[in-house]
Amino acid sequence: MSASFASYQEDAAIQKKRWLILVVLNLFTFMSTLDGSIVNIALPVLSKQLGLPIAQIEWVTTGYLMAICTVILFFGKLGDMVGKIRVFRLGTYIFIFGSLLCGFSSSLPFLIVSRVIQALGASMTMANSQGIITDIFPAKERGKALGLIGTFVSLGSIAGPSVGGIIISSLGWEYIFWVNVPIGLIAVFIGWKVLPADLVKVKAKVDAPGSLLFAVFIVALFSGLLLGQQAGYGNLWIILSLVLAAAAFILFLRVETKREQPLLELSLFKNPLFSVSILCGFLVFSANFCFNIIAPFYAQNMLNLSPFSAGFLLMLFPICMVVVAPISGALSDKLGSEPLTFAGLIVMVIAQFGLAALHDGSSLWVVGTWIGMLGIGSGLFQSPNNSLVMSQVPRTQLGSAGSVNSLVRNVGMVVGITIATTTLFHVMSSKAGHRVTGLVSGHPEIFLSGMHTVFTVSSCICLAAALLTGWRMYHAYAVRHKQAASKG
């Protein structure tokens, strides 16, 4: 029915369903981002059941995120070519199938392959959801809709450990994947009823050289970083992997500047406010994933909490965030986004320093206070920062901006995991006097030393983001002051 209209905004039937369409998009947005972190709480359990050290079992998380980073730009471009809604639909089926396979996995290789399948589906939905919203929602509601999907992205990214802990204790680790199946099928059913046919398809060629070079860059970079934790960064193969990553990235940038229809619109980064907002988002996701990878081990192995109790403790992060984020989003319309993002980052810096002071005898209320503050800071920051990112680009490039935002977010997650585990193992190895890639039985002080350093590093990451945001706030004030002076 919508095919007779030039745009979705002109179709009254689709406009009546637009908020239901947003529900479908948000369900898959939440599940796909949740699955990037929900496994973290299961890592101690999987490590024991499969008899593997932390450095190996973390591939269950990083393999998923790496696969998303590798293909998300490609699926964003494919959505422009064959239809965003068509690619989104296909992604939902692949994601559900991958989730089903994950729960049946009995070995690490099978689980990692299943996670990669799941990630392919997740990247197809992530790459196109913001573009679909941009097409369907009228301009006066587009910011609100994009803000809501940004909130679900952030909520899914940090709710994993808490939700996962409750599911593991109640049902078993397999159900952290199987829970996606019934929810996904419900979303697919609603989607069949409300998602319209694609109206706009761009005649373009797939940027094969750019896609291949970007895939080589991502795989070589993160494989080198993660394997370096086990083999050591002086290993020849690790050095060659990192050199290959650097060469592939430089060549990728050169190729993209010469192509008429590049995989990545580099022109987006000519806007300094867009670039700073993207960089701040990257730093915050990196810092949050330092917390996400370390906190489950601290709660279960240092505080001796069950996965169920640990899940409830870590639930303070998403609860505080989901309460604060909508308020922050509403306030940003009145106060502006820059002061709120700056305030959020300052709160996060304080919370991270607080986490760095914890020990195995810390009371639960002290631990909970710092976790809650981290959630409050993230809630203050995320919604206004997402609005800043999307407000800095013309409508014709919103789809590309959305893909870049999703890519940077997922790269931030992998970088956060890499920073956390590399720092943790390095400090623990120094304290133990030999190479360590897992917990040292009977010596909690060795893990705590590593944890303190990790949270100190993540607090410095947040501080760097705060300084950048302070510069962004000063720049925006200077521009407004100059405009007011010229009018006067």
Side-chain angles (χ1 to χ4, degrees), residues 21-306:
I21 291 171
L22 184 62
V23 169
V24 174
L25 298 177
N26 277 337
L27 276 174
F28 274 98
T29 295
F30 177 75
M31 287 191 296
S32 58
T33 52
L34 180 75
D35 271 58
S37 62
I38 196 170
V39 179
N40 291 347
I41 194 75
L43 294 183
V45 177
L46 288 169
S47 181
K48 291 177 183 177
Q49 289 190 4
L50 299 177
L52 297 169
I54 299 171
Q56 289 184 32
I57 205 68
E58 73 175 19
W59 279 93
V60 177
T61 298
T62 53
Y64 177 82
L65 296 174
M66 279 175 61
I68 289 176
C69 294
T70 301
V71 297
I72 194 166
L73 291 179
F74 169 78
F75 283 129
K77 183 66 73 173
L78 187 66
D80 289 334
M81 293 166 56
V82 304
K84 298 181 187 69
I85 293 174
R86 178 181 293 181
V87 174
F88 179 90
R89 282 185 191 274
L90 181 59
T92 61
Y93 306 144
I94 295 174
F95 178 78
I96 293 171
F97 177 66
S99 299
L100 193 65
L101 287 180
C102 286
F104 286 115
S105 301
S106 57
S107 66
L108 183 62
F110 189 92
L111 180 55
I112 291 174
V113 170
S114 300
R115 288 282 279 169
V116 170
I117 293 171
Q118 191 186 35
L120 292 176
S123 63
M124 295 170 84
T125 61
M126 286 182 184
N128 291 283
S129 58
Q130 293 187 55
I132 294 171
I133 287 174
T134 302
D135 284 341
I136 289 177
F137 277 80
K140 63 181 180 180
E141 294 177 337
R142 196 173 298 131
K144 183 179 180 181
L146 287 169
L148 281 171
I149 208 164
T151 299
F152 273 85
V153 164
S154 302
L155 183 61
S157 298
I158 49 81
S162 48
V163 174
I166 296 168
I167 292 174
I168 290 167
S169 297
S170 305
L171 301 169
W173 69 265
E174 299 88 350
Y175 286 86
I176 62 176
F177 303 111
W178 284 342
V179 71
N180 292 327
V181 177
I183 298 174
L185 290 174
I186 291 170
V188 165
F189 177 76
I190 298 172
W192 273 110
K193 297 287 186 181
V194 300
L195 284 173
D198 284 293
L199 284 182
V200 180
K201 298 175 186 178
V202 178
K203 289 185 178 180
K205 293 181 179 180
V206 173
D207 180 7
S211 300
L212 180 61
L213 286 168
F214 190 76
V216 171
F217 161 65
I218 290 291
V219 173
L221 175 63
F222 291 122
S223 295
L225 290 174
L226 296 165
L227 289 173
Q229 298 169 3
Q230 300 171 54
Y233 291 104
N235 182 284
L236 177 62
W237 292 107
I238 301 302
I239 294 172
L240 289 175
S241 179
L242 296 176
V243 169
L244 175 62
F249 184 66
I250 293 170
L251 192 55
F252 169 73
L253 293 179
R254 290 189 62 183
V255 167
E256 294 302 278
T257 56
K258 296 177 181 179
R259 293 190 70 85
E260 292 183 7
Q261 298 165 336
L263 180 71
L264 177 62
E265 294 286 349
L266 295 175
S267 60
L268 290 170
F269 295 95
K270 292 180 179 179
N271 184 325
L273 291 179
F274 173 85
S275 297
V276 169
S277 300
I278 283 286
L279 179 57
C280 287
F282 165 77
L283 292 173
V284 166
F285 271 96
S286 297
N288 279 345
F289 257 66
C290 286
F291 168 82
N292 264 13
I293 202 75
I294 298 295
F297 287 96
Y298 171 71
Q300 292 180 66
N301 296 99
M302 298 296 111
L303 299 181
N304 296 314
L305 299 176
S306 67

Side-chain angles (χ1 to χ4, degrees), residues 371-417:
I371 292 174
M373 279 188 66
L374 198 60
I376 291 170
S378 295
L380 282 170
F381 171 82
Q382 292 292 354
S383 294
N385 194 67
N386 284 332
S387 297
L388 280 169
V389 168
M390 302 308 287
S391 67
Q392 297 301 318
V393 296
R395 187 184 175 190
T396 54
Q397 293 183 319
L398 278 172
S400 295
S403 292
V404 170
N405 204 10
S406 298
L407 169 67
V408 168
R409 179 178 69 242
N410 285 283
V411 171
M413 293 178 191
V414 179
V415 169
I417 292 170

Side-chain angles (χ1 to χ4, degrees), residues 468-483:
L468 282 169
T469 300
W471 172 84
R472 181 176 63 187
M473 187 164 57
Y474 173 79
H475 180 80
Y477 171 78
V479 169
R480 286 194 292 266
H481 182 72
K482 187 177 181 180
Q483 289 174 344

